Amino acid sequence: MPSRLHWFETEVLSQEENLEGLSRINRELLAKAEAMDSPRRVVLDMDSTEFPVYGEQEQSAYNGHFESTCYHPLLLFNGEGDCLAAKLRPGNVHSAEEWEEVLLPEIERQQELGKEVVFRADAAFAKPEIYEALEERGVKYAIGLPANDSLLRDIEELLTRPWGGPVTNPSCGTKAFSTKPPVGRPPAESWRKWSFMLGSCSRERGSS
């Protein structure tokens, strides 16, 4: 029996058409649940994760961020935490690699149902091509940004620790601000429009 299961997993399920069929089954089951409770707005969350391996599995690779040999799958969830789509990828690819294969079909599906789509992701997905794809489709989004000198200057007052004893309130505060292309200069490709940003800061309770 173990040998038959191994054959089924490696020779049958690994075929492209069967992998696509498994994805469709998962999505169709979720569609049945969505039909019973269908909000007008759908929140999509995208993230990557670590899938450690302990051998020399095909396409596994060392990932410096996770400090392990692994696969690096890409996952898409709805606001309730249901996994809508997944993409198994080699361990050493960028977190956002192949995002369009996972995200765009789900946006199209939800919009065909008349839903408003909102997208959330961390700073690994702060890429101009993602912004543009979302804006072209009328999708609102909240995507983290990697720290840089310009952003740190904008929230400098939040980063300055006040005088006093140990921290009792972990929240240092938030600051909302907008950015726009510099006056008199051609805008960078990734900053052609006004963008609204929210900066926040927190410290561990009890830290000095």
Side-chain angles (χ1 to χ4, degrees):
M1 180 63 71
S3 62
R4 289 189 178 183
L5 287 175
H6 181 266
W7 168 81
F8 182 72
E9 291 176 349
T10 59
E11 301 296 331
V12 178
L13 286 184
S14 61
Q15 295 176 17
E16 189 67 28
E17 60 270 24
N18 291 331
L19 291 173
E20 292 175 358
L22 288 172
S23 297
R24 287 196 300 271
I25 290 173
N26 176 71
R27 195 63 196 85
E28 289 168 5
L29 288 173
L30 288 171
K32 293 181 182 298
E34 291 171 344
M36 293 184 287
D37 182 16
S38 183
R40 187 181 68 84
R41 171 182 287 188
V42 175
V43 178
L44 301 179
D45 289 293
M46 178 168 276
D47 202 358
S48 65
T49 189
E50 172 198 22
F51 193 138
V53 300
Y54 302 96
E56 298 181 359
Q57 286 86 343
E58 185 179 358
Q59 294 194 28
S60 64
Y62 182 78
N63 186 297
H65 174 75
F66 296 115
E67 297 183 345
S68 72
T69 300
C70 61
Y71 292 111
H72 192 189
L74 183 63
L75 306 172
L76 184 67
F77 299 90
N78 60 18
E80 287 69 48
D82 300 316
C83 184
L84 303 177
K87 176 78 173 179
L88 186 63
R89 307 174 302 175
N92 56 358
V93 301
H94 186 274
S95 294
E97 187 80 16
E98 299 179 289
W99 64 270
E100 65 276 17
E101 294 183 24
V102 176
L103 177 60
L104 298 186
E106 185 62 29
I107 290 176
E108 181 179 355
R109 179 186 177 281
Q110 297 290 352
Q111 290 181 334
E112 287 177 350
L113 296 173
K115 306 290 184 68
E116 177 189 3
V117 180
V118 179
F119 177 70
R120 299 185 302 199
D122 63 24
F125 298 87
K127 300 170 72 68
E129 57 266 36
I130 296 180
Y131 305 152
E132 291 173 1
L134 296 171
E135 290 167 4
E136 287 171 0
R137 291 162 175 80
V139 175
K140 296 178 181 178
Y141 57 90
I143 299 177
L145 288 175
N148 60 64
D149 291 342
S150 177
L151 294 177
L152 292 176
R153 283 195 299 270
D154 284 325
I155 61 170
E156 184 175 4
E157 65 269 31
L158 301 180
L159 302 177
T160 303
R161 192 197 184 287
W163 290 95
V167 172
T168 57
N169 180 8
S171 175
C172 306
T174 60
K175 178 182 178 181
F177 52 97
S178 298
T179 63
K180 65 175 181 177
V183 176
R185 283 171 38 196
E189 188 66 23
S190 58
W191 297 104
R192 293 180 295 180
K193 300 182 180 180
W194 278 87
S195 297
F196 177 79
M197 300 185 187
L198 183 67
S200 66
C201 174
S202 63
R203 298 184 178 91
E204 291 186 8
R205 191 184 298 273
S207 63
S208 58

